[in-house]
Amino acid sequence: MKIAVIGAGMLGASTAYHLALAGHQVIVFDEGHPGKATLAGAGIVCPWATKADDESWYALYAAGARYYDQLIADLTARGESQVGYRKVGALVVADDPAEFDAAAERLARRTAAAPETGGFQEISPEQARDHFPPLREDMKALFVPGGARVDARLLSAAMLRAAVAAGAELRSDLATLQLLNGRAILRDGRDQEVAVDQIVVAAGAWASRILAPLGLNHPVVPQRGQIVHLSLPGVDTSRWAVLLPMASHYLLAFDDSRVVIGATRENGTGFDYRVTAAGQHEVLSAGLHFAPGLANATILETRVGFRPAGPSITPILGRVEGIEGLVIGNGLGASGLTIGPLAGKLLASIAVGEDPGFDLTPYTPHPRMT
Amino acid sequence: MKIAVIGAGMLGASTAYHLALAGHQVIVFDEGHPGKATLAGAGIVCPWATKADDESWYALYAAGARYYDQLIADLTARGESQVGYRKVGALVVADDPAEFDAAAERLARRTAAAPETGGFQEISPEQARDHFPPLREDMKALFVPGGARVDARLLSAAMLRAAVAAGAELRSDLATLQLLNGRAILRDGRDQEVAVDQIVVAAGAWASRILAPLGLNHPVVPQRGQIVHLSLPGVDTSRWAVLLPMASHYLLAFDDSRVVIGATRENGTGFDYRVTAAGQHEVLSAGLHFAPGLANATILETRVGFRPAGPSITPILGRVEGIEGLVIGNGLGASGLTIGPLAGKLLASIAVGEDPGFDLTPYTPHPRMT
Amino acid sequence: MKIAVIGAGMLGASTAYHLALAGHQVIVFDEGHPGKATLAGAGIVCPWATKADDESWYALYAAGARYYDQLIADLTARGESQVGYRKVGALVVADDPAEFDAAAERLARRTAAAPETGGFQEISPEQARDHFPPLREDMKALFVPGGARVDARLLSAAMLRAAVAAGAELRSDLATLQLLNGRAILRDGRDQEVAVDQIVVAAGAWASRILAPLGLNHPVVPQRGQIVHLSLPGVDTSRWAVLLPMASHYLLAFDDSRVVIGATRENGTGFDYRVTAAGQHEVLSAGLHFAPGLANATILETRVGFRPAGPSITPILGRVEGIEGLVIGNGLGASGLTIGPLAGKLLASIAVGEDPGFDLTPYTPHPRMT
Amino acid sequence: MKIAVIGAGMLGASTAYHLALAGHQVIVFDEGHPGKATLAGAGIVCPWATKADDESWYALYAAGARYYDQLIADLTARGESQVGYRKVGALVVADDPAEFDAAAERLARRTAAAPETGGFQEISPEQARDHFPPLREDMKALFVPGGARVDARLLSAAMLRAAVAAGAELRSDLATLQLLNGRAILRDGRDQEVAVDQIVVAAGAWASRILAPLGLNHPVVPQRGQIVHLSLPGVDTSRWAVLLPMASHYLLAFDDSRVVIGATRENGTGFDYRVTAAGQHEVLSAGLHFAPGLANATILETRVGFRPAGPSITPILGRVEGIEGLVIGNGLGASGLTIGPLAGKLLASIAVGEDPGFDLTPYTPHPRMT
């Protein structure tokens, strides 16, 4: 089957990867927008402590984390050495003892159902600083061995590379959709029609405009995140745990002496691609509050991304009633890096008409308003 | 009247400027795309030597150059000190003597009808190098005193600043159009409707997707240009003439010891935003061929822009039959920086229903296909 | 006379400019170090409110401000259009009423002796926000019309360009000194001797290593400053006053919708060229405290510079006893952009043996320890 | 023993690594100069085809290549995953058949003495393009399986990280030397003396100024190299061979879809840190001549480095007669990335007074001129 995937972020890259490996002919369109969420996203894979409680969302969130082991093993087996993933463990901390206890209760309940977590245990401040040296001195923690971090740039690039090796084509180009006799038609940036059997729109915050010519009012808008990247030259940060204060912000480290503090959650910004004074101040304040040992770290850059935020926390995955040849995946919001790889696998199944092995009813897109 | 302008390149900035100064309420949407032609464009304002010969196009091209004097005077009078424009004169040169003579013939004919050119004269290689020191030693030239250069970034920023000072609002946001009862409706990146009386689409190479939801098949595609910026530290280049070899490439200087070599003209690239090995090599080869004195200049950057290329050289300016509240300007191609400021003034007149004082019949957009 | 100037920051550029205009043969060496104070420095020219009280320092500080009018007039007369200077007025504010009153007392005393200040007056919070719109709402101010701001990059580049136009040579190269028969000898980065009559070392924080081979223990060390640059797109900031809270930090605006918050004063960092988490946080906290209206401004960049800090606040300007052919200027610290242009003029006079017209005894460098 | 290493390029990083692993107390000073050769260098490890024929130089060149296997194994065993090295094989090609045959003769002679090469074989143009797809279609090649490429940034960072893990201290700071009673004394950028037993100067092109205060006229000057980095998005280049045309330029690939064309060899530039129009043109012309398949590759960046060029091709490694506590390594020129790791090991041995196991007599620095 010949399938176009619009968007090469985590979701689109995973869709293309799974399709290409299954032997389909894949063509990926990506516009290279500044503000792509995947390129900005600091990936923590640790769904089990979250306060949010929506059931159909959590089902995907937990399954997304579980799927990582298989995906990484498959990519490694295909010769990919740069997948950007490591299971370093997660530290859950909280300023407020009641928050801490509530997180422990959630972890107890959820890790029991998820053997890949390795359970969890309460550890002392000293032990916590062994896992994350710049941590504030008074903070005990809950340690989850199965928590991981992912560099979304590397992982999505690895999936795309594997897709290309399996025959997929990448195009840095704009794609425009049209509706013709009830079917979605695709034109490229040269205004040429591209004949495909199916079109998967995985364009995140930009999808609404891509879908507008089809008469769809796609309810996903951008939520801006500003994420600060620090460096600790000469320090081996490759085994540091991710740090999840039970608050809006979080910290994690990468192999190259890099520590990341994320992130603002700004609604109503539209596509205003900017690092702001207040945003940078907010992120640094939070980071230095929990990890004062980062005071002398180098600021490398601040990344800005637009998370695709739907009307609720529930993702959108599926076909649109009344339009042939169209599959949509979107609305993963702040959990996109955890859910994205699995969701791409599901979209691939939908596109080629196979059973995804997962009840996707709760995620069905709204039908076309006529 | 309340008017939205989509696109803040040279054309949109000029439209917003003229509307705001005329007292209208203006809101400008710009997505900050990488590859905006205005931000990449090296502006030579010297239409009189061109080989191209389309009549309705040349009428706008020559009128666009003539309008610059008034525009710059108006901006300066409003306190703008950074307009990025200077009438440094143009040197027309050619490798082939027959090309040189043909250029002289065109200049004789056209400068006679354009007193702002100051006429032209043939000068010796030594005199030519006074105007452009790195020029090859054997090149005599035709000098046109009225030739000018413009830094499109500065000029469009100045027009926007003046528009904002007159009450316009700038939004770094995506705009989506919809058709409702025969009228164009605008939604912003938050998916909110923005109520306006008129919408001017001046979005260049990106317009076709913006217009697609209206059922328009807008025939403008990107033509990629790669432009090399060099620096000659400590050298005062502020009075250097622009250099027009009668070939595809050209050179010009800016005040800050900067020399620019332009540009590739690549069709069929779509929105593939990249500096390529062959493109950079082509531009440097051409530049060093005509100006070997630049061998030791510093390479500062290579800019990439997508010129909006229509089906013919004739620009598109006007209303679309069958859609209320919509004005389109596009297709200025490689002459956008010369024509843009005037064309924005014309679009402003059309939008508010005033007589533009210029016969715009040849530039009317195609009607909606139904 | 043939004179080498080592260092092309504000001080070296001014020295070269004054020497070249006086008809001397000048060769400027500059290594292009990251961290050059001039390139990072946000220039406020408003010495009159300062708390510091050293007499010989203040004499130069005040004279440096006074000299600006003449320098700018001369450069403008030579055709320089980009001098980066504007007399926008200064707002002095303070959190503490006692600090405010003390500042008023100092201004009263000092502006009386400095007619170029235009005096000063107390203004209301509303009036203050007319001069600096993002200012906190409750802050009355002391307004000094003669306060100015300078973009040190543009001014030093303009002086260098004027020097080159007058025959000076710029070399991006390293210079090494040696002592031969009691005289300083210069070698370039190709290890070739460069024969000159006089050598002016204006190398700021890097001077101690340049002077070490002469047996000099030059007591100037780097003091790191981190300076945040913000942008307010579309806002005309060109007339905004500079803001001097009577604290360590300050704010000013440039023509291109840019607002600057300066700066950390970090001793003991050595040449550790980095933007740090704590430094950025400190500067943003101070800036948003005094100017909360900047919350939504774009962060453009953070510049890092190493101010040359001597053992006391008193600058070092003059010849070193016991070494022929050597002139040193250094130690201007945080007042370098105010004092630098004048100090360069003084160094030029010393180098060619003319009367500087200023008693330079207090600034004499220490003799060589033998 | 306590040892300072000045310079953290390939040579200094290796010295620090070997010293720290041997249990010594190490402090590394690095100024972060723009133009550090290691950061610009594209590393081909394939000494066996070289035309140069100096015996003592070739001994180190070949031994340097042989040492890589052990170094990489040791780093990997210490947990370093990012060493930037891969034995991808080398393709030797030539425009001139006589050059090709001469290269075959050299390879026959030298690979016989170097089992780590895996010998070599002549292969057809088709086979050659399997190893390096963008190669010109008519080029047969000599393939050396043991040829490798190294990303000097990653390898030097890995050695430094391992050194820090073993207790070394890294300082981004300037170091100044002085001579006191026949002994080299070190001061940092805060002008504080740093007490050490030995000082290893591995500062490459910058060493002459560091050594000048000791009365040494160190004969190493910078040779500028400009190196172009291209990208082939989506293409897996991780197994591409290095390409050695028997000419001044060469090509190699890295894991991240990156292809590098190197490099100019510019003498007499001093420390003029710039990408030039002619340099970029030269490198692209050579690259597209041998590898026309790169025409559509993206230009990512051009790196500039100053190779440390001594009076002859022979490196400088050893103690300076007449100065206590000083070891110098320098002059590795264009072969620095091959020789550097081994040379650092040798410097470490010299510094602590152990037998380097290699006759270093030919590399002894000149004594102090008095």
Side-chain angles (χ1 to χ4, degrees), chain A residues 297-325:
Chain A
T298 314
I299 294 191
L300 289 178
E301 59 174 323
T302 301
R303 297 186 182 167
V304 176
F306 298 112
R307 302 183 194 92
S312 80
I313 198 174
T314 309
I316 297 166
L317 297 171
R319 292 193 172 278
V320 179
E321 201 186 306
I323 301 182
E324 292 294 310

mmCIF file of all heavy atoms in Angstrom, chain A residues 297-325:
data_model
loop_
_atom_site.group_PDB
_atom_site.id
_atom_site.type_symbol
_atom_site.label_atom_id
_atom_site.label_comp_id
_atom_site.label_asym_id
_atom_site.label_seq_id
_atom_site.Cartn_x
_atom_site.Cartn_y
_atom_site.Cartn_z
ATOM 1 N N ALA A 297 25.934 25.740 36.483
ATOM 2 C CA ALA A 297 25.868 25.060 35.183
ATOM 3 C C ALA A 297 25.789 26.087 34.055
ATOM 4 O O ALA A 297 25.295 27.194 34.239
ATOM 5 C CB ALA A 297 24.639 24.141 35.143
ATOM 6 N N THR A 298 26.265 25.694 32.910
ATOM 7 C CA THR A 298 26.207 26.555 31.712
ATOM 8 C C THR A 298 24.818 26.496 31.084
ATOM 9 O O THR A 298 24.261 25.409 30.930
ATOM 10 C CB THR A 298 27.180 26.013 30.643
ATOM 11 O OG1 THR A 298 28.427 25.717 31.252
ATOM 12 C CG2 THR A 298 27.361 27.005 29.513
ATOM 13 N N ILE A 299 24.287 27.641 30.690
ATOM 14 C CA ILE A 299 23.053 27.638 29.895
ATOM 15 C C ILE A 299 23.428 27.441 28.436
ATOM 16 O O ILE A 299 24.143 28.258 27.852
ATOM 17 C CB ILE A 299 22.268 28.944 30.076
ATOM 18 C CG1 ILE A 299 21.778 29.033 31.527
ATOM 19 C CG2 ILE A 299 21.101 29.006 29.102
ATOM 20 C CD1 ILE A 299 20.783 30.136 31.775
ATOM 21 N N LEU A 300 22.971 26.352 27.877
ATOM 22 C CA LEU A 300 23.292 26.061 26.478
ATOM 23 C C LEU A 300 22.277 26.680 25.528
ATOM 24 O O LEU A 300 22.613 27.287 24.533
ATOM 25 C CB LEU A 300 23.277 24.547 26.236
ATOM 26 C CG LEU A 300 24.390 23.741 26.848
ATOM 27 C CD1 LEU A 300 24.175 22.265 26.552
ATOM 28 C CD2 LEU A 300 25.736 24.181 26.285
ATOM 29 N N GLU A 301 21.022 26.477 25.850
ATOM 30 C CA GLU A 301 19.967 26.952 24.951
ATOM 31 C C GLU A 301 18.636 26.779 25.649
ATOM 32 O O GLU A 301 18.512 26.045 26.626
ATOM 33 C CB GLU A 301 19.952 26.137 23.655
ATOM 34 C CG GLU A 301 19.727 24.656 23.888
ATOM 35 C CD GLU A 301 19.566 23.837 22.604
ATOM 36 O OE1 GLU A 301 18.963 24.331 21.645
ATOM 37 O OE2 GLU A 301 20.029 22.684 22.595
ATOM 38 N N THR A 302 17.633 27.471 25.154
ATOM 39 C CA THR A 302 16.263 27.237 25.587
ATOM 40 C C THR A 302 15.469 26.841 24.354
ATOM 41 O O THR A 302 15.484 27.539 23.354
ATOM 42 C CB THR A 302 15.664 28.489 26.236
ATOM 43 O OG1 THR A 302 16.471 28.837 27.359
ATOM 44 C CG2 THR A 302 14.244 28.228 26.709
ATOM 45 N N ARG A 303 14.842 25.695 24.436
ATOM 46 C CA ARG A 303 14.053 25.229 23.307
ATOM 47 C C ARG A 303 12.591 25.579 23.527
ATOM 48 O O ARG A 303 12.109 25.607 24.651
ATOM 49 C CB ARG A 303 14.205 23.712 23.145
ATOM 50 C CG ARG A 303 15.639 23.316 22.821
ATOM 51 C CD ARG A 303 15.758 21.838 22.512
ATOM 52 N NE ARG A 303 17.153 21.491 22.256
ATOM 53 C CZ ARG A 303 17.611 20.246 22.204
ATOM 54 N NH1 ARG A 303 16.791 19.221 22.385
ATOM 55 N NH2 ARG A 303 18.892 20.013 21.968
ATOM 56 N N VAL A 304 11.921 25.834 22.433
ATOM 57 C CA VAL A 304 10.508 26.177 22.484
ATOM 58 C C VAL A 304 9.754 25.168 21.639
ATOM 59 O O VAL A 304 10.146 24.884 20.506
ATOM 60 C CB VAL A 304 10.271 27.589 21.913
ATOM 61 C CG1 VAL A 304 8.784 27.910 21.885
ATOM 62 C CG2 VAL A 304 11.019 28.621 22.730
ATOM 63 N N GLY A 305 8.710 24.631 22.182
ATOM 64 C CA GLY A 305 7.899 23.702 21.407
ATOM 65 C C GLY A 305 6.424 23.967 21.641
ATOM 66 O O GLY A 305 6.027 24.492 22.688
ATOM 67 N N PHE A 306 5.642 23.619 20.649
ATOM 68 C CA PHE A 306 4.185 23.753 20.768
ATOM 69 C C PHE A 306 3.574 22.374 20.914
ATOM 70 O O PHE A 306 3.432 21.635 19.940
ATOM 71 C CB PHE A 306 3.614 24.462 19.541
ATOM 72 C CG PHE A 306 4.138 25.850 19.374
ATOM 73 C CD1 PHE A 306 4.975 26.184 18.327
ATOM 74 C CD2 PHE A 306 3.813 26.835 20.296
ATOM 75 C CE1 PHE A 306 5.473 27.467 18.180
ATOM 76 C CE2 PHE A 306 4.317 28.126 20.172
ATOM 77 C CZ PHE A 306 5.145 28.449 19.106
ATOM 78 N N ARG A 307 3.220 22.030 22.146
ATOM 79 C CA ARG A 307 2.544 20.759 22.352
ATOM 80 C C ARG A 307 1.152 20.813 21.718
ATOM 81 O O ARG A 307 0.456 21.819 21.835
ATOM 82 C CB ARG A 307 2.359 20.491 23.846
ATOM 83 C CG ARG A 307 3.618 20.456 24.656
ATOM 84 C CD ARG A 307 3.257 20.112 26.112
ATOM 85 N NE ARG A 307 4.387 20.385 26.991
ATOM 86 C CZ ARG A 307 4.580 21.535 27.629
ATOM 87 N NH1 ARG A 307 3.702 22.541 27.494
ATOM 88 N NH2 ARG A 307 5.634 21.683 28.403
ATOM 89 N N PRO A 308 0.729 19.721 21.111
ATOM 90 C CA PRO A 308 -0.623 19.702 20.531
ATOM 91 C C PRO A 308 -1.648 19.391 21.613
ATOM 92 O O PRO A 308 -1.711 18.270 22.113
ATOM 93 C CB PRO A 308 -0.536 18.585 19.491
ATOM 94 C CG PRO A 308 0.598 17.709 19.914
ATOM 95 C CD PRO A 308 1.502 18.502 20.801
ATOM 96 N N ALA A 309 -2.437 20.392 21.973
ATOM 97 C CA ALA A 309 -3.399 20.253 23.074
ATOM 98 C C ALA A 309 -4.811 20.145 22.531
ATOM 99 O O ALA A 309 -5.299 21.055 21.857
ATOM 100 C CB ALA A 309 -3.278 21.452 24.012
ATOM 101 N N GLY A 310 -5.431 19.038 22.807
ATOM 102 C CA GLY A 310 -6.811 18.846 22.382
ATOM 103 C C GLY A 310 -7.793 19.375 23.418
ATOM 104 O O GLY A 310 -7.396 19.919 24.445
ATOM 105 N N PRO A 311 -9.079 19.202 23.166
ATOM 106 C CA PRO A 311 -10.092 19.717 24.098
ATOM 107 C C PRO A 311 -10.063 18.989 25.440
ATOM 108 O O PRO A 311 -10.498 19.529 26.454
ATOM 109 C CB PRO A 311 -11.408 19.484 23.363
ATOM 110 C CG PRO A 311 -11.116 18.556 22.241
ATOM 111 C CD PRO A 311 -9.660 18.605 21.964
ATOM 112 N N SER A 312 -9.558 17.759 25.466
ATOM 113 C CA SER A 312 -9.393 17.064 26.741
ATOM 114 C C SER A 312 -8.049 16.383 26.710
ATOM 115 O O SER A 312 -7.325 16.439 25.716
ATOM 116 C CB SER A 312 -10.497 16.024 26.933
ATOM 117 O OG SER A 312 -10.178 14.852 26.188
ATOM 118 N N ILE A 313 -7.687 15.719 27.786
ATOM 119 C CA ILE A 313 -6.402 15.044 27.859
ATOM 120 C C ILE A 313 -6.352 13.800 26.967
ATOM 121 O O ILE A 313 -5.282 13.293 26.639
ATOM 122 C CB ILE A 313 -6.080 14.696 29.340
ATOM 123 C CG1 ILE A 313 -4.584 14.404 29.522
ATOM 124 C CG2 ILE A 313 -6.922 13.533 29.817
ATOM 125 C CD1 ILE A 313 -4.177 14.193 30.973
ATOM 126 N N THR A 314 -7.521 13.323 26.538
ATOM 127 C CA THR A 314 -7.577 12.106 25.729
ATOM 128 C C THR A 314 -7.027 12.340 24.317
ATOM 129 O O THR A 314 -7.482 13.253 23.628
ATOM 130 C CB THR A 314 -9.037 11.625 25.615
ATOM 131 O OG1 THR A 314 -9.583 11.558 26.930
ATOM 132 C CG2 THR A 314 -9.096 10.247 24.963
ATOM 133 N N PRO A 315 -6.084 11.523 23.888
ATOM 134 C CA PRO A 315 -5.565 11.666 22.533
ATOM 135 C C PRO A 315 -6.621 11.394 21.466
ATOM 136 O O PRO A 315 -7.671 10.811 21.744
ATOM 137 C CB PRO A 315 -4.459 10.605 22.460
ATOM 138 C CG PRO A 315 -4.066 10.359 23.875
ATOM 139 C CD PRO A 315 -5.325 10.525 24.665
ATOM 140 N N ILE A 316 -6.316 11.794 20.255
ATOM 141 C CA ILE A 316 -7.166 11.567 19.090
ATOM 142 C C ILE A 316 -6.412 10.636 18.150
ATOM 143 O O ILE A 316 -5.312 10.958 17.708
ATOM 144 C CB ILE A 316 -7.449 12.909 18.375
ATOM 145 C CG1 ILE A 316 -8.226 13.851 19.300
ATOM 146 C CG2 ILE A 316 -8.174 12.676 17.052
ATOM 147 C CD1 ILE A 316 -8.267 15.285 18.816
ATOM 148 N N LEU A 317 -6.994 9.480 17.880
ATOM 149 C CA LEU A 317 -6.331 8.495 17.016
ATOM 150 C C LEU A 317 -7.401 7.768 16.219
ATOM 151 O O LEU A 317 -8.232 7.070 16.807
ATOM 152 C CB LEU A 317 -5.581 7.436 17.847
ATOM 153 C CG LEU A 317 -4.420 7.869 18.737
ATOM 154 C CD1 LEU A 317 -3.984 6.701 19.635
ATOM 155 C CD2 LEU A 317 -3.246 8.338 17.901
ATOM 156 N N GLY A 318 -7.385 7.900 14.908
ATOM 157 C CA GLY A 318 -8.349 7.114 14.158
ATOM 158 C C GLY A 318 -8.756 7.740 12.840
ATOM 159 O O GLY A 318 -8.142 8.679 12.358
ATOM 160 N N ARG A 319 -9.798 7.157 12.262
ATOM 161 C CA ARG A 319 -10.334 7.644 10.994
ATOM 162 C C ARG A 319 -11.461 8.633 11.250
ATOM 163 O O ARG A 319 -12.116 8.582 12.288
ATOM 164 C CB ARG A 319 -10.915 6.473 10.184
ATOM 165 C CG ARG A 319 -9.870 5.509 9.695
ATOM 166 C CD ARG A 319 -10.443 4.551 8.650
ATOM 167 N NE ARG A 319 -9.361 3.781 8.089
ATOM 168 C CZ ARG A 319 -8.558 4.224 7.117
ATOM 169 N NH1 ARG A 319 -8.741 5.418 6.586
ATOM 170 N NH2 ARG A 319 -7.568 3.476 6.674
ATOM 171 N N VAL A 320 -11.660 9.515 10.265
ATOM 172 C CA VAL A 320 -12.746 10.473 10.356
ATOM 173 C C VAL A 320 -13.912 9.963 9.523
ATOM 174 O O VAL A 320 -13.759 9.717 8.322
ATOM 175 C CB VAL A 320 -12.303 11.847 9.827
ATOM 176 C CG1 VAL A 320 -13.456 12.832 9.908
ATOM 177 C CG2 VAL A 320 -11.099 12.338 10.602
ATOM 178 N N GLU A 321 -15.043 9.824 10.196
ATOM 179 C CA GLU A 321 -16.236 9.352 9.488
ATOM 180 C C GLU A 321 -16.551 10.288 8.334
ATOM 181 O O GLU A 321 -16.556 11.508 8.488
ATOM 182 C CB GLU A 321 -17.404 9.338 10.486
ATOM 183 C CG GLU A 321 -18.544 8.447 10.083
ATOM 184 C CD GLU A 321 -19.699 8.616 11.069
ATOM 185 O OE1 GLU A 321 -19.471 8.460 12.291
ATOM 186 O OE2 GLU A 321 -20.809 8.955 10.610
ATOM 187 N N GLY A 322 -16.742 9.738 7.188
ATOM 188 C CA GLY A 322 -17.157 10.560 6.062
ATOM 189 C C GLY A 322 -16.036 11.022 5.151
ATOM 190 O O GLY A 322 -16.287 11.683 4.152
ATOM 191 N N ILE A 323 -14.798 10.718 5.505
ATOM 192 C CA ILE A 323 -13.686 11.054 4.602
ATOM 193 C C ILE A 323 -12.869 9.793 4.355
ATOM 194 O O ILE A 323 -12.367 9.178 5.298
ATOM 195 C CB ILE A 323 -12.785 12.163 5.192
ATOM 196 C CG1 ILE A 323 -13.618 13.429 5.441
ATOM 197 C CG2 ILE A 323 -11.613 12.443 4.261
ATOM 198 C CD1 ILE A 323 -12.833 14.598 5.984
ATOM 199 N N GLU A 324 -12.753 9.434 3.113
ATOM 200 C CA GLU A 324 -11.979 8.244 2.753
ATOM 201 C C GLU A 324 -10.489 8.557 2.759
ATOM 202 O O GLU A 324 -10.073 9.660 2.379
ATOM 203 C CB GLU A 324 -12.351 7.775 1.331
ATOM 204 C CG GLU A 324 -13.751 7.239 1.189
ATOM 205 C CD GLU A 324 -13.936 5.947 1.969
ATOM 206 O OE1 GLU A 324 -13.101 5.042 1.810
ATOM 207 O OE2 GLU A 324 -14.916 5.860 2.752
ATOM 208 N N GLY A 325 -9.709 7.553 3.144
ATOM 209 C CA GLY A 325 -8.261 7.656 2.954
ATOM 210 C C GLY A 325 -7.557 8.543 3.940
ATOM 211 O O GLY A 325 -6.426 8.960 3.696
#
